[in-house]
Amino acid sequence: MADLLHDKHVNTPWSTLPVAAWQDTYATLHLWTQIIGKIRLALAPKLNHWWHSTLYVTPRGLTTGCIPDNTRTFAMSFDFLEHNLDIEISDGITQTIALAPRSVADFYQEVMEKLRASGIEVSIWTMPQEVADPIPFESDRQHAAYDPQAAQKFWQILVQANRIMTTFRSRFIGKSSPVHFFWGSFDLAVTRFSGRVAPEHPGGIPNMADWVTREAYSHEVSSCGFWFGGGAVAEPIFYSYAYPEPEGFHDYLVQPQEAFYSKDMREFILPYEAVQHADEPDAMILAFFQSTYEAAANLANWDRAALER
């Protein structure tokens, strides 16, 4: 498995990280980010579409950003260079938790103990979201892997995806989400809104409550992002979808030629491998995001003149 992490792309921004090369670390890190994200969800003021629960890419890893705690604020940040979880509080208190092979239960216990020692009282629902066969955090001694090289590659790829998605976001003056990391689905996303209310989402997404989905998709969207893969998807992908999906969306001609519509996932996909081998990766990804957005906006008659720069 270690050999899979040493490849010809190792010194490039687009290094190889198939699911098989880090699946144990992937599963553990997924659950660790859920613990931290749920703490933000519990304490931050509610924002539309669950934007108050997400994490953000930093030059060192992922962060919650500022979380209010009465008159204080604090932030919790994964540092994938030093391999720590850093807790910084506005009164000057700092706490550090090492990222190393350890169970989800041990990680959860230490996080909560460090918060209590800092005077921060918070309670979260300890059942993981959007994972098969969930185990409550406090009982999970099954997931305990941490490969620092894999974690660092994970973050380095996110840095590049975040950079390009931020450029794409800047071209839209309508309502848009931040570029943010969803710890449930473990993907980086940015979403554009037409300004119109959407039909009620039918729900039925595995391991996600229907009321959560309906809040997320209360308004018409075109959303794009990057996902590290999982299940039947063995490699990372860039993706783009629309809700509601307009008639003819799946047949729309999009760019680049390597992109395609997945009927199973109901979204356009650009394989990560195509980006790795592209002469101009940034241009390829931006063309994918733009053309798939146009598929949604043109077919659904968005007021593009009022929404775009």
Side-chain angles (χ1 to χ4, degrees), residues 49 175 193 195-198 214-221 243:
H49 321 301
K175 176 182 172 180
F193 293 77
R196 300 189 296 242
V197 174
R214 287 169 181 150
E215 162 59 22
Y217 295 106
S218 61
H219 289 69
E220 192 174 48
V221 303
Y243 181 77

Side-chain angles (χ1 to χ4, degrees), residues 121-273:
E121 296 293 335
V122 60
S123 177
I124 65 173
W125 187 39
T126 60
M127 189 64 72
Q129 264 56 71
E130 299 183 61
V131 298
D133 304 317
I135 305 169
F137 300 139
E138 69 273 18
S139 303
D140 188 351
R141 302 197 176 276
Q142 174 182 329
H143 299 99
Y146 186 78
D147 180 335
Q149 185 181 54
Q152 200 165 87
K153 282 193 172 190
F154 152 78
W155 156 70
Q156 288 170 339
I157 295 168
L158 280 180
V159 166
Q160 299 307 315
N162 181 78
R163 176 178 60 81
I164 295 169
M165 290 165 67
T166 299
T167 296
F168 180 66
R169 181 180 186 245
S170 72
R171 300 173 178 177
F172 194 75
I173 59 174
K175 176 182 172 180
S176 175
S177 77
V179 180
H180 47 187
F181 185 82
F182 282 93
W183 40 263
S185 48
F186 210 67
D187 66 323
L188 192 70
V190 63
T191 303
R192 293 177 171 185
F193 293 77
S194 72
R196 300 189 296 242
V197 174
E200 184 176 87
H201 196 283
I205 296 177
N207 304 305
M208 181 185 288
D210 289 348
W211 61 272
V212 173
T213 306
R214 287 169 181 150
E215 162 59 22
Y217 295 106
S218 61
H219 289 69
E220 192 174 48
V221 303
S222 171
S223 189
C224 64
F226 176 82
W227 182 45
F228 286 91
V233 182
E235 301 281 344
I237 59 170
F238 289 90
Y239 66 82
S240 180
Y241 64 88
Y243 181 77
E245 183 176 302
E247 185 176 353
F249 183 71
H250 60 279
D251 293 323
Y252 203 92
L253 184 62
V254 302
Q255 299 178 31
Q257 63 182 9
E258 293 86 351
F260 63 92
Y261 183 84
S262 167
K263 292 183 179 179
D264 291 335
M265 299 178 69
R266 297 187 64 84
E267 59 191 24
F268 284 104
I269 288 173
L270 174 63
Y272 179 66
E273 186 178 11

